[in-house]
């Protein structure tokens, strides 16, 4: 057993899943990270082992959370930009404990239910599950297209939440390292972003996370036509699906938690894709209140 593994206590080894987070720099305060961990634990039927991959000491982090250092390779400045290739460090051998299946979650995710339900999607330990983000679907169709086009076209996902088993996924980081040696400018298309690369290299094992478990905030609560947001919120099947939601990720959203909690009822926000959000109970079906409650500590802090 290496030194890192020795840091896992006897109590932690009896857990049946682990929740993985990644943080570089100081964009996300410790209070937010601890709060997210607490909410995940609150809603899950079994408490996970929390593992935070970080590039600097995290003073004040909850005492039972494990911290793991970033491999120096993934701290390359070009990996910490919009493509977020640094997140691929979670697949590096020796970074995560390999005894438990994992759920990676972005730090700008709102957790309202049991995200561990995502583990039920794992048909085998090789399964990798993400939210779909392209027309080509994960599964037999996506795999067939991937093979027929010599891996040029494939189903793509969003990596705000990733279900995987660390022991079976070292090939993700190993392949990225190898390709980076050939394409240090990231000109090989799948390398432009961590989620594209995961989707491409793990296509044979990819499954989709359903939008009844997690959704992207812009896709769920924003649209170019405001009237559609009011109609959508009243559709019976949308209301039924939203009632099951465990997580909402703020991916790509120009406004972040500290801005959301300061919006006024009915305020309209437009993003860089001309999608509009109406910050109202009428369009969000109660999620406005839940988001405010989730981030209440930010208002208290301010």
């Amino acid at each position: 057993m290496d030194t890192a593994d020795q840091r896992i206590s006897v109590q932690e080894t009896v857990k049946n899943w682990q929740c993985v987070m990644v943080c570089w720099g100081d964009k996300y305060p410790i209070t937010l990270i601890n709060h997210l961990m607490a909410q995940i634990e609150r809603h899950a039927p079994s408490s996970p082992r929390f593992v935070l991959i970080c590039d600097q000491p995290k003073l004040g982090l909850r005492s039972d959370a494990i911290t793991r250092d970033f491999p120096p390779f993934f701290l390359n400045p070009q990996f910490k930009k919009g493509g977020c290739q640094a997140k691929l460090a979670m697949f590096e051998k020796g970074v995560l404990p390999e005894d438990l299946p994992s759920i990676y979650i972005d730090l700008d995710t709102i957790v309202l239910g049991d995200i561990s339900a995502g583990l039920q999607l794992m048909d085998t330990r090789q399964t990798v599950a993400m939210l779909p983000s392209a027309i080509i679907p994960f599964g037999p169709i996506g795999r067939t297209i991937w093979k027929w086009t010599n891996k040029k076209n494939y189903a793509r996902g969003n990596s705000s939440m990733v279900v995987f088993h660390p022991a079976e996924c070292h090939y993700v980081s190993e392949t990225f390292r190898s390709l980076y040696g050939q394409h240090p400018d990231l000109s090989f298309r799948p390398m432009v972003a961590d989620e594209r690369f995961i989707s491409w290299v793990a296509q044979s094992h990819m499954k989709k996370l359903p939008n009844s478990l997690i959704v992207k905030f812009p896709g769920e609560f924003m649209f170019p036509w405001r009237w559609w947001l009011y109609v959508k919120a009243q559709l019976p099947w949308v209301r039924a699906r939203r009632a099951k939601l465990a997580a909402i990720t703020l991916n790509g959203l120009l406004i972040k938690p500290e801005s959301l909690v300061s919006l006024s009822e009915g305020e309209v926000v437009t993003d860089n894709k001309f999608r509009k959000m109406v910050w109202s109970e009428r369009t969000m079906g109660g999620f406005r209140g839940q988001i405010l409650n989730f981030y209440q500590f930010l208002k208290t802090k301010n």
Side-chain angles (χ1 to χ4, degrees):
M1 182 181 294
D2 61 27
T3 303
D5 286 335
Q6 289 173 356
R7 283 180 285 176
I8 304 172
S9 69
V10 173
Q11 181 180 3
E12 287 164 340
T13 59
V14 302
K15 297 183 183 297
N16 57 18
W17 68 289
Q18 58 189 348
C19 182
V20 179
M21 301 175 183
V22 169
C23 182
W24 60 82
D26 54 6
K27 178 181 178 180
Y28 297 98
I30 291 296
T31 50
L32 185 149
I33 297 173
N34 285 340
H35 177 67
L36 179 58
M37 289 180 176
Q39 294 304 308
I40 290 170
E41 188 174 53
R42 172 189 172 194
H43 293 289
S46 62
S47 178
R49 171 199 299 153
F50 288 105
V51 185
L52 178 67
I53 303 171
C54 50
D55 62 345
Q56 55 188 273
K58 294 298 179 183
L59 299 178
L61 185 70
R62 53 186 283 171
S63 60
D64 61 338
I66 300 171
T67 57
R68 291 291 171 94
D69 295 333
F70 261 98
F73 172 82
F74 285 104
L75 287 178
N76 184 324
Q78 69 183 132
F79 298 163
K80 295 187 287 183
K81 297 179 180 179
C84 294
Q85 294 89 348
K87 285 165 60 174
L88 297 175
M90 64 182 166
F91 300 107
E92 184 87 346
K93 187 171 180 61
V95 172
L96 295 180
E98 297 182 13
D99 57 333
L100 299 178
S102 302
I103 296 180
Y104 165 81
I105 197 85
D106 268 354
L107 295 178
D108 56 0
T109 302
I110 300 160
V111 173
L112 306 171
D114 176 23
I115 66 168
S116 71
L119 296 170
Q120 299 173 15
L121 296 170
M122 298 189 74
D123 298 322
T124 69
R125 289 182 15 142
Q126 288 74 37
T127 297
V128 179
M130 294 197 301
L131 263 175
S133 64
I135 296 176
I136 301 175
F138 287 131
I141 295 176
R143 289 193 293 271
T144 299
I145 294 174
W146 180 64
K147 292 176 182 177
W148 283 358
T149 62
N150 195 27
K151 302 183 180 181
K152 182 178 180 180
N153 297 317
Y154 52 96
R156 300 197 308 272
N158 173 272
S159 63
S160 297
M161 178 176 173
V162 185
V163 178
F164 68 105
H165 200 297
E168 306 296 336
C169 291
H170 299 315
Y171 67 90
V172 176
S173 60
E174 291 169 355
T175 305
F176 184 83
R177 279 176 173 271
S178 176
L179 286 171
Y180 182 71
Q182 304 169 45
H183 308 279
D185 58 353
L186 304 179
S187 57
F188 181 53
R189 187 63 179 166
M191 297 176 70
V192 299
D194 70 292
E195 52 202 14
R196 273 182 174 265
F197 191 78
I198 297 169
S199 302
W200 175 78
V201 74
Q203 189 71 199
S204 296
H205 307 291
M206 294 299 302
K207 290 192 67 175
K208 74 172 183 177
L209 293 176
N211 62 1
S212 57
L213 176 66
I214 180 172
V215 294
K216 294 176 283 187
F217 188 100
E220 186 67 30
F221 299 111
M222 303 186 77
F223 200 74
W225 305 330
R226 277 189 287 175
W227 63 266
W228 171 245
L229 297 174
Y230 293 95
V231 173
K232 181 178 180 179
Q234 299 305 315
L235 297 175
W237 55 90
V238 172
R239 298 178 68 172
R241 175 179 57 77
R242 285 181 174 179
K244 304 174 186 176
L245 274 178
I248 303 169
T249 179
L250 304 182
N251 75 301
L253 199 60
L254 295 179
I255 49 173
K256 290 301 182 183
E258 57 273 19
S259 299
L260 280 177
V261 298
S262 65
L263 292 174
S264 303
E265 163 70 29
E267 192 166 344
V268 178
V269 176
T270 303
D271 70 5
N272 57 358
K273 295 182 180 180
F274 304 104
R275 295 174 297 190
K276 295 178 175 61
M277 175 199 70
V278 181
W279 185 242
S280 167
E281 295 289 323
R282 289 180 58 199
T283 60
M284 302 182 68
F287 284 98
R288 173 180 173 273
Q290 292 187 64
I291 292 171
L292 286 173
N293 288 337
F294 185 85
Y295 286 126
Q296 184 63 39
F297 76 99
L298 288 176
K299 297 188 73 173
T300 303
K301 180 181 177 183
N302 294 333

